[in-house]
Amino acid sequence: MAHKYSTGVAVDDKTSGNEDARIELKKFSKANGVEDEAITANAVVVDEDGDADGQMADKTMDKPKDDDVYKRNLFFKDGTRRIDFILSWSTEVTKKSAQAIQARKIFEENLQKEGLQLEYDLSGKETQFVKVHAPFEVLRRYADILKMRMPMKESIAEQHIKDRFSDWEGGPIDMTPLPSFGAKVWEHTIRLFRRILVPFQYDETMLPPLRRSYTCPYSANREYLFEIPKNKDELFSHATRSWVVDYILRRKPFSVSTDNFAYGVNKMIKDQIYTAAFPLHEGHWKTGSAENPRKILFDHWAHWRNCLKFQPLGHVRLYFGEKIALYFAWLGFYTTMLVPATIVGLAVLIYGLAVMGTNLASKELCESDDIIMCPLCDNHCPYWRLSDACSHARASRVFDNGATVFFAIFMSLWGTLFLEFWKRKEATIQYKWDLTTFVSEEEPPRPEYLSKLENWHTMKINPVTGLKEPHLPFWRRRFPIFLCSYSIMLLLAAVAISAVIGVIAYRVSMLAALNLIPNEVGNVNSTVVTTTAGLIYENASLVTTVTAALINLAIIIVLNLVYGYLAFWLTDWECLRTQTDYDNSITIKLFALQFVNYFASIFYIAFFKGQFVGRPGKYRTIFGGRQEECEAGGCLIELCIQLAIIMVGKQLVQNNFIEIVLPKVIKFIKRKLSKETREQKLGRTPWQKDSLLDPAQSMSLFYEYLEMVLQFGFLTIFCAAFPLAPLFALLNNIIEIRVDASKFITQLRRPVGDKAATIGIWFSVLYGISRIAILTNAFIIALTSETIPRLVYQLRYSDDGSLAGYVNFTMAHFNVSDFDDAHRPTDRSLGDVGMCRYKDFRNPPWEDKDYRRSSHFWHILAARLAFVCVFENVVVVVTSLIAWLIPDVPSVLKEQIRREAYITNEIVLKTELRRAHGEEVTEDMVSSLTTEETERYSPRLSEDMEVTHRRPGATASDPSDPRTYV
């Protein structure tokens, strides 16, 4: 027999466990007056024959009055009250079960005092549930408290449409204002553009365009302003309902004492009083399921066939709330902005391929059989001909040409335009989603913060909330922890740099080993071995670069796992009060660590490799080994390969494997190991099914933003070296949108419909990256590429202004007799060599100041520094000017916001005056007040607002129509 308590706990006498704990639990229940079958006034107990998902198992249950159940039980047993939230707990008996029962009892009583209604499902053997419903009165009260913007009456919202514009809906043409020629051209252009985009639009028959009405902050005293539907529960979207309920759950105490630590459902989950708290999904998403919002979003948004479709952001917002919808809006906007960057990048690549074969410097290098180069390592490496680097030099010219400078400037401007246009898009979204006046409420302390300081004796009154909270002195408690935390971060960054040094050592030793291949295979009779060895020897630099990049990628992936764990550990150690403080701290740590991890090797190749090598006979060494040199064609091609492997490899491993393949493998293994029958699966209730999904944690979006911000860094910081980066980013993001959408719909519990007006700290991070990118691209062009030396040679040293003789100009001479015995090459495959060449600008051995830096070096260095200064200042000035010229909020939107506030204010002033005179407020009276004010003006509407209106006199739409409100 199972005993059912008002607290929602069921204990089976046959349940195995601690017998002493079970006896104590029964004594506790009896002492507190908890009787069998006792329930609270607002609760209805569901027995073991509870509702199955998508069917009514209890024949006595009332049939839901509304068809919106979507074949899934989303209502209480009466079929009328909607389930807005689910709380679950484990039936396992422990020594703390009695305290958990008492805590749940007090907490649920406080919820009922707040006006929430509860219904229990005690049929589960391992997990039991309480269903929470928020009546309209509770929602209306909190709409007033939280100043939620609600739709105004249709009679008010439609007044700004003039009779003289009625031809838009089929009225007389002679009343149409005459548009200017420019307006006609713009209108035709917009229509043509929309026709081009028709194939990319989502199915509007299944996801109809949402209409935004005029809104204003809700006030119970001014309810005459608002459109209240016949079914009042439909005034609030499901995401809003879950947000309000979560707001209440996070603030209710679960103890009768004055303990400031014992409140909030998050603290209860942390203390294992509850196991989960979540809103329900609207139905099932699989093929063959009944139509419901979840399935419609999956079929027409998250499914792979929608990869090239725009996103129904309004419907995403209705289902998941503003915070998640804003992420998808930002990701979609970012992906769209990648299209022009991809086109320009492809054009730059095509140009590079076109000039690769016609470049005079490359031709000279390939034909320079008479130029003998100095060995690439000491003693064992042979002399080699410059023409051996022909293929490397030609490939380098694909990315190192005149278009490189243009692409770097373009991407710097693109980064600024992206951020500025996003601010405008964000402002429009804030207006559409009624977030223009949204202010985050005062956050309660984190449950982990309260648990950690439960026995802390130093207390202080919070100046905002007036509650006593634990106080951590800054200098004695916080500063030492922060100092230690960020010192450990520096140590972790040093580990990443050490890994780069290890990869450098691998490259040096591998290149030296590959150069010994001719000596090792000279006596081998196998043709296959000889051919393979010769191929590897000819491409020794490429083989070394690719293998080193792959090893570096593997190290990066491993270090990221370590960094993720340690970053959270350090942030937990800092004991931060609110979730926002915690999120900002973990953002800084993880971004900084992953930035160093991903970009350390790339920065080395771009700015340090080959810059401090020294010269033959006097090379600079580290730990006894020579530093790496750039190939004859330059380091830019190696930078391109390194960047491509790390960027594309990260996307393949993290995005395609971890986010796509791995979840499917885990799901397949669980399905094979599960012993549950099909009948048992079908018999599960919706809350039982959703409880088996992964929890939608607060950090779910954090990793998505982090991934995209790092990608933005790859795009902008090193765009000069890899013009294909926007293309790979675009392809990745097209997949990423559907992967993330599918994850939220199919793999995670439905998240709370949290509100957010911006993307938060990530905008500042993106802005910082865009500023860093200007400087790095300037140095890549100046130091890594051959652009500046070629330009100086053409303008200053060339006889005819061409690149004829440029290869010889860049090669210095070295007398092999100046080698000491320890570094003298032993290889004689090219015969007796008296003079070898190396890539540098130094005086030849026959001059007095032999091997010193030549005047050519100083001319080129001055040109490089001048280019960096000019490039940086010009781009900074231009981007700053663009940012200043582009307003953050479109002028049309400003007019619309002011118009909305004006209408509301005038109506309230005049209506309140009449109420003061004793008149009764009616809809006709309110409509008459709006006519005089609104007919004077007709605001223009931004295309992004997607606002539609009826012409005056048209019949009002059904307020319950989901297309009526956003």
Side-chain angles (χ1 to χ4, degrees), residues 410-422:
F410 171 82
M411 289 302 294
S412 299
L413 298 178
W414 175 87
T416 300
L417 289 173
F418 163 65
L419 295 177
E420 292 304 314
F421 284 135
W422 166 247

Side-chain angles (χ1 to χ4, degrees), residues 344 347-349 351-352 355 396-412 636 639 718-723 777-778 780-782 784-787 790 867 871:
V344 175
V348 170
L349 178 67
Y351 173 81
V355 301
S396 181
R397 293 299 173 263
V398 175
F399 303 99
D400 187 2
N401 52 68
T404 302
V405 180
F406 165 77
F407 189 63
I409 296 174
F410 171 82
M411 289 302 294
S412 299
L636 194 65
L639 176 62
F718 299 102
C719 63
F722 190 37
N777 281 296
I780 286 174
I781 295 172
T784 311
S785 77
E786 293 285 322
T787 301
R790 287 198 299 263
F867 174 83
F871 182 93

Side-chain angles (χ1 to χ4, degrees), residues 254-542:
F254 54 89
S255 173
V256 294
S257 67
T258 57
D259 182 9
N260 290 331
F261 300 99
Y263 71 91
V265 70
N266 292 335
K267 181 69 164 62
M268 299 180 77
I269 294 175
K270 179 70 176 178
D271 295 343
Q272 297 182 346
I273 298 172
Y274 287 117
T275 55
F278 55 91
L280 283 178
H281 278 294
E282 297 295 312
H284 213 293
W285 57 272
K286 288 188 176 180
T287 304
S289 303
E291 290 296 326
N292 61 80
R294 185 186 185 189
K295 185 176 185 300
I296 291 174
L297 279 177
F298 177 79
D299 291 340
H300 301 279
W301 174 49
H303 199 279
W304 290 109
R305 61 172 171 265
N306 303 306
C307 279
L308 300 180
K309 300 285 186 180
F310 291 116
Q311 300 182 85
L313 295 174
H315 293 272
V316 176
R317 176 224 176 188
L318 284 178
Y319 194 83
F320 289 112
E322 286 79 2
K323 188 173 184 178
I324 291 177
L326 189 64
Y327 162 72
F328 282 104
W330 175 82
L331 181 55
F333 181 80
Y334 171 44
T335 304
T336 304
M337 286 291 292
L338 284 173
V339 174
T342 299
I343 294 173
V344 175
L346 286 174
V348 170
L349 178 67
I350 293 171
Y351 173 81
L353 292 172
V355 301
M356 177 179 66
T358 60
N359 185 272
L360 188 58
S362 298
K363 287 183 176 180
E364 280 190 355
L365 188 147
C366 293
E367 296 171 357
S368 55
D369 293 333
D370 56 335
I371 297 180
I372 306 301
M373 301 295 293
C374 297
L376 296 176
C377 66
D378 295 333
N379 195 263
H380 297 292
C381 290
Y383 296 104
W384 56 285
R385 300 184 188 278
L386 180 60
S387 57
D388 294 342
C390 176
S391 59
H392 185 279
R394 288 185 182 276
S396 181
R397 293 299 173 263
V398 175
F399 303 99
D400 187 2
N401 52 68
T404 302
V405 180
F406 165 77
F407 189 63
I409 296 174
F410 171 82
M411 289 302 294
S412 299
L413 298 178
W414 175 87
T416 300
L417 289 173
F418 163 65
L419 295 177
E420 292 304 314
F421 284 135
W422 166 247
K423 286 194 288 187
R424 290 170 62 87
K425 178 73 173 179
E426 190 176 65
T428 303
I429 289 174
Q430 290 172 357
Y431 174 74
K432 288 173 59 179
W433 296 352
D434 298 320
L435 298 171
T436 51
T437 57
F438 173 75
V439 178
S440 299
E441 73 275 4
E442 177 63 21
E443 290 186 83
R446 297 170 56 243
E448 296 81 359
Y449 173 83
L450 297 179
S451 297
K452 194 170 185 178
L453 300 178
E454 201 161 5
N455 299 319
W456 190 259
H457 301 293
T458 305
M459 307 294 286
K460 187 177 181 180
I461 295 178
N462 187 297
V464 177
T465 63
L467 299 175
K468 279 189 176 182
E469 294 182 3
H471 173 66
L472 299 177
F474 179 77
W475 291 108
R476 288 191 294 109
R477 178 67 170 79
R478 290 197 178 277
F479 179 76
I481 291 179
F482 286 149
L483 182 63
C484 185
S485 176
Y486 284 95
S487 298
I488 293 175
M489 278 190 61
L490 292 177
L491 177 62
L492 295 175
V495 171
I497 295 174
S498 301
V500 173
I501 295 175
V503 174
I504 293 171
Y506 164 81
R507 275 203 296 258
V508 171
S509 58
M510 177 59 71
L511 189 61
L514 293 180
N515 278 289
L516 296 177
I517 286 179
N519 296 332
E520 297 297 328
V521 300
N523 299 324
V524 177
N525 296 324
S526 175
T527 305
V528 176
V529 173
T530 305
T531 304
T532 305
L535 185 63
I536 295 175
Y537 175 74
E538 292 174 1
N539 297 279
S541 176
L542 179 62

Side-chain angles (χ1 to χ4, degrees), residues 556-567:
I556 286 172
I557 294 172
V558 173
L559 285 180
N560 273 347
L561 297 176
V562 177
Y563 286 166
Y565 174 80
L566 292 178

Side-chain angles (χ1 to χ4, degrees), residues 36 57 185 189 200 379 523 621 651 937:
D36 291 356
V185 173
T189 304
F200 304 101
N379 195 263
N523 299 324
T621 61
Q651 293 177 354
Y937 176 72

Side-chain angles (χ1 to χ4, degrees), residues 860-898:
I860 293 174
L861 180 62
R864 282 172 166 165
L865 295 178
F867 174 83
V868 170
C869 293
V870 172
F871 182 93
E872 181 185 5
N873 285 280
V874 169
V875 174
V876 167
V877 169
V878 172
T879 53
S880 300
L881 182 62
I882 291 174
W884 179 72
L885 290 175
I886 300 177
D888 293 346
V889 182
S891 58
V892 173
L893 182 57
K894 289 181 181 178
E895 294 176 3
Q896 187 77 351
I897 294 173
R898 291 172 58 191

